[in-house]
Amino acid sequence: MIRLSKPSFSAKINKNIDKVISSGNLIDGFYTNKFETKINNYFKTNYSIAVSSGTAALHLSLLSIGIKKFDEVIIPSFSYIATANVVENVGATPIFVDIKIDNLCMNIDLLQKKITNKTKAIIIVHEFGNVCDMNKLMKLSKKFKIKVIEDAACSLGSKYENKLTGLFGDIACFSFHPRKVLTTSEGGIVLTKSIKDYKFIRSYKNHGLERSKNKIDFVFPGLNYRLSEINSVLGLNQFSLLNKNIKHRRKIAKIYNNHFSNNKNLYLTSIKDNIFCNYQSYHIILKENSIRNKLKKYLFLNKIESNVGAQAIPFQKFYKNKYKFKKKDFPNAYNAFKKGLVIPIGEHISEKNAHFIANKINNFF
Ligand SMILES: *Cc1c(COP(=O)(O)O)cnc(C)c1O
């Protein structure tokens, strides 16, 4: 089976994992520190905090900027479910905005209408590594004084006008789940811009612990959202491969693009000239749900894995029942979910594989 993704590590990994195990320091040690330093250097910041998942990163971000019961948080209607679940989990209300079908990111033109006096934050998602119109978004957030959290779970290394995603909002969250461009198996990072957020999150992820000169104390009820040393070893190892892996993903995407450019049966997302896309996923949209399902089955029979890329969150059971959304409220998210498919991309896909997969898909029609 050609897997959707299959992360690989350089040979050094075993030696470093052995080192962690024989040291007996399995948390809060040398490697987590080093991983955070690497991230800081990459983003030219001082305020990154390693956490146990992308979801933890999002949860901590909402807590840090003080999102609470009865607040509203604007989010895109098409994303991984975590983007909405964290909002529900702090007792706030997610306010969904439809996506643009050509980039699968929030349609910023629809955003302003959703702003009320309860709006406390916007979570923007760089879906599959593509980036929304950040100029428009940041202008709106300034005008209405609303905080921006970047859910950059998919977009490590993606850029908008030459600036890395994660550097635009007040806080940014990255996921290192195995389907992302860099993995620690489970893990994530929060990037903050203020010392206040940095201190709060660093403490909250460790049960509210605060260290002063000669004592430690627990100053508020936090949680355990720490990243382990083993996870950090994986992350450091993957970090050394990041640029090479993104370059490879872009090469594979180009091969797919060329094969599909004349295929009228599928719709591809477009990457604007001012965007550098890491191609965390390669997503296609078919004409009908039934064709999507048939194609998925056909690919499976040809030993090629494919899957739904992300969820139309308003139509997942919990959200549908709670907020009674209709298809026409978020038509693009609905279509991307019902007719969309992601196909294999990553360092495990050779150029030969890419031609094979693309030819299979074109032959299907
Ligand atoms: C993967 C992902 C998450 C969640 O990350 P985990 O590390 O799996 O918790 C959140 N948002 C988006 C957009 C994602 O793609």
Side-chain angles (χ1 to χ4, degrees):
M1 184 66 78
I2 304 178
R3 303 273 306 274
L4 265 179
S5 73
K6 187 171 180 290
S8 54
F9 301 88
S10 76
K12 241 173 81 181
I13 191 90
N14 293 330
K15 202 177 101 213
N16 287 342
I17 286 179
D18 283 348
K19 267 193 198 159
V20 170
I21 290 168
S22 60
S23 77
N25 298 326
L26 300 187
I27 57 162
D28 281 342
F30 175 80
Y31 288 100
T32 308
N33 236 317
K34 198 166 164 189
F35 186 46
E36 283 177 343
T37 304
K38 278 264 182 221
I39 296 277
N40 280 342
N41 292 342
Y42 185 75
F43 286 101
K44 300 189 173 64
T45 155
N46 292 317
Y47 301 130
S48 72
I49 305 126
V51 294
S52 54
S53 71
T55 307
L58 286 166
H59 189 202
L60 290 165
S61 300
L62 290 177
L63 292 170
S64 188
I65 62 175
I67 305 298
K68 55 188 186 314
K69 218 168 181 170
F70 308 123
D71 289 341
E72 292 180 355
V73 179
I74 295 178
I75 66 171
S77 50
F78 184 71
S79 179
Y80 183 55
I81 194 86
T83 313
N85 284 351
V86 289
V87 178
E88 290 286 339
N89 269 289
V90 298
T93 307
I95 302 295
F96 295 95
V97 176
D98 204 9
I99 53 164
K100 279 173 83 159
I101 206 68
D102 58 349
N103 67 2
L104 305 172
C105 295
M106 188 191 286
N107 184 346
I108 307 299
D109 295 331
L110 301 175
L111 199 159
Q112 193 167 336
K113 276 190 299 213
K114 305 267 181 159
I115 296 174
T116 72
N117 55 8
K118 290 185 190 164
T119 310
K120 292 289 151 59
I122 300 165
I123 304 182
I124 196 76
V125 177
H126 306 303
E127 194 58 60
F128 305 139
N130 206 340
V131 189
C132 83
D133 190 335
M134 292 309 284
N135 284 337
K136 264 191 201 165
L137 173 75
M138 296 317 290
K139 258 187 212 144
L140 274 181
S141 85
K142 279 207 184 79
K143 185 172 165 196
F144 292 94
K145 297 195 169 56
I146 299 171
K147 299 249 175 172
V148 170
I149 298 173
E150 286 183 83
D151 180 346
C154 301
S155 69
L156 181 66
S158 287
K159 292 176 197 166
Y160 179 87
E161 295 183 347
N162 258 328
K163 180 167 157 181
L164 286 166
T165 59
L167 291 173
F168 289 87
D170 297 278
I171 300 193
C173 303
F174 292 87
S175 162
F176 302 133
H177 176 276
R179 281 275 302 278
K180 316 293 168 154
V181 295
L182 182 152
T183 189
T184 57
S185 82
E186 296 281 11
I189 279 268
V190 191
L191 283 189
T192 68
K193 281 187 173 158
S194 79
I195 292 194
K196 183 186 140 284
D197 286 332
Y198 176 76
K199 281 190 172 160
F200 175 84
I201 291 172
R202 183 161 287 298
S203 180
Y204 201 102
K205 77 153 188 181
N206 205 2
H207 285 296
L209 181 130
E210 208 174 85
R211 276 177 224 277
S212 52
K213 257 192 203 125
N214 42 24
K215 67 165 193 186
I216 59 169
D217 203 346
F218 294 93
V219 296
F220 56 82
L223 293 167
N224 173 5
Y225 278 163
R226 293 185 299 258
L227 188 73
S228 84
E229 284 285 282
I230 301 263
N231 293 130
S232 302
V233 166
L234 300 187
L236 276 166
N237 191 277
Q238 284 255 299
F239 214 99
S240 62
L241 307 169
L242 180 66
N243 288 336
K244 189 173 132 241
N245 285 346
I246 291 176
K247 203 168 158 195
H248 183 73
R249 281 171 182 271
R250 288 168 57 83
K251 196 192 277 172
I252 300 303
K254 204 167 172 185
I255 293 173
Y256 286 155
N257 286 342
N258 286 337
H259 276 278
F260 298 147
S261 62
N262 292 318
N263 188 335
K264 299 275 185 293
N265 298 291
L266 29 108
Y267 184 81
L268 305 176
T269 45
S270 61
I271 314 288
K272 289 217 173 106
D273 288 343
N274 61 352
I275 289 166
F276 177 88
C277 180
N278 70 2
Y279 279 100
Q280 179 264 334
S281 289
Y282 191 92
H283 189 270
I284 59 179
I285 296 180
L286 289 307
K287 285 212 166 119
E288 279 174 42
N289 174 259
S290 61
I291 298 174
R292 192 272 307 273
N293 294 344
K294 269 185 204 146
L295 175 60
K296 187 166 184 283
K297 203 178 251 174
Y298 170 85
L299 290 174
F300 182 79
L301 291 173
N302 283 284
K303 298 193 163 37
I304 300 164
E305 189 185 15
S306 64
N307 206 350
V308 174
Q311 287 92 31
I313 302 175
F315 307 113
Q316 301 301 304
K317 195 170 188 174
F318 171 81
Y319 294 93
K320 204 164 93 186
N321 290 346
K322 183 166 179 183
Y323 298 106
K324 315 279 182 236
F325 292 119
K326 306 242 162 33
K327 267 182 228 172
K328 65 171 181 13
D329 298 332
F330 310 104
N332 288 341
Y334 186 82
N335 278 324
F337 177 57
K338 285 289 176 182
K339 305 174 188 175
L341 202 65
V342 289
I343 60 174
I345 194 161
E347 58 264 37
H348 65 307
I349 302 297
S350 64
E351 291 179 50
K352 193 170 150 233
N353 268 339
H355 288 293
F356 170 76
I357 293 166
N359 280 326
K360 280 287 173 207
I361 290 174
N362 283 339
N363 288 343
F364 166 81
F365 294 101

